[in-house]
Amino acid sequence: MLAIMLALPAAHAQLNFGVKGGVNIATVKFDNVLEAGNITGFQLGPMLEYVKPSTGWGMDVALLFTQKGCELENRTVKSNYLEIPLNVKWKLMTPLLKPYLAAGPYFGFRTGGRKIWDISGLYNDVNGQVKAGNFNTGLNFSIGAEALGFLQVGLNYGLGLTHNFKTIDSGNLPIYKGKAHTWSISAAVLF
């Protein structure tokens, strides 16, 4: 994708590099059985944006360090991921403020944090532990605006498509799998 973006004529497009950071409010939906609360984390990393000014259509991609998980009773379940969102983007190309919409897939690779949490005794139908997966994917939906030609502020919803958390060591009890659901408020500075 980067090769395609760079191969297109530069006279008809804007290629911007930047740094993006923000706050995540994440939870995990465990097959609609376990009640999971929200946790707060952060995201930070480089981004690349390519937009054709004549149409406002383009793409953005980032490489973000991000935190996801949930609160299970009094236990915080949080892991660190290297996430790659790849979005199709549309900007209203007005002079001072450029509102935008973006959507696309993301791919996440667990890079650290705890992998297993003990939740024995917290729930009647679960006995054992919760384990974080090493890979996850989902869809992003974003809305935001660019001001002054270099500052973007946005709101993003990440809908997990893969089960990246699951219960283990449950004996005769069922195993529950969970998908991450994450709201993010972010800002990016473009160069």
Side-chain angles (χ1 to χ4, degrees):
M1 180 194 75
L2 180 60
I4 293 170
M5 290 183 348
L6 293 174
L8 296 173
H12 302 299
Q14 291 178 341
L15 182 63
N16 296 307
F17 297 92
V19 177
K20 183 176 186 176
V23 176
N24 294 339
I25 301 169
T27 192
V28 177
K29 304 285 185 184
F30 283 95
D31 300 326
N32 296 320
V33 175
L34 299 181
E35 286 292 324
N38 295 331
I39 63 157
T40 303
F42 69 93
Q43 60 176 259
L44 181 65
M47 70 171 285
L48 177 68
E49 178 190 72
Y50 176 86
V51 175
K52 290 184 78 171
S54 60
T55 63
W57 284 98
M59 301 183 83
D60 74 29
V61 63
L63 184 63
L64 301 174
F65 173 84
T66 187
Q67 297 176 314
K68 293 186 178 183
C70 65
E71 186 79 25
L72 294 173
E73 295 295 330
N74 59 354
R75 305 230 175 39
T76 299
V77 174
K78 186 189 289 189
S79 276
N80 303 328
Y81 293 89
L82 190 59
E83 196 167 273
I84 303 167
L86 176 62
N87 296 312
V88 173
K89 190 175 219 175
W90 176 77
K91 271 193 216 179
L92 182 59
M93 302 302 283
T94 54
L96 297 177
L97 187 67
K98 297 177 175 77
Y100 68 82
L101 298 172
Y106 69 82
F107 306 94
F109 304 90
R110 193 172 93 54
T111 60
R114 291 182 62 186
K115 185 167 176 79
I116 297 176
W117 298 265
D118 183 19
I119 60 166
S120 298
L122 296 181
Y123 301 94
N124 292 334
D125 55 350
V126 177
N127 181 27
Q129 301 169 325
V130 169
K131 179 180 179 182
N134 291 324
F135 174 77
N136 67 78
T137 186
L139 295 174
N140 281 319
F141 304 95
S142 300
I143 186 169
E146 179 181 309
L148 308 172
F150 71 90
L151 178 64
Q152 291 184 356
V153 177
L155 175 66
N156 184 75
Y157 179 69
L159 173 64
L161 296 178
T162 56
H163 294 103
N164 55 320
F165 291 91
K166 70 176 183 176
T167 60
I168 57 174
D169 300 329
S170 58
N172 295 329
L173 299 171
I175 292 177
Y176 299 111
K177 297 178 180 178
K179 298 177 183 176
H181 295 258
T182 308
W183 286 97
S184 303
I185 299 170
S186 64
V189 177
L190 305 176
F191 306 106

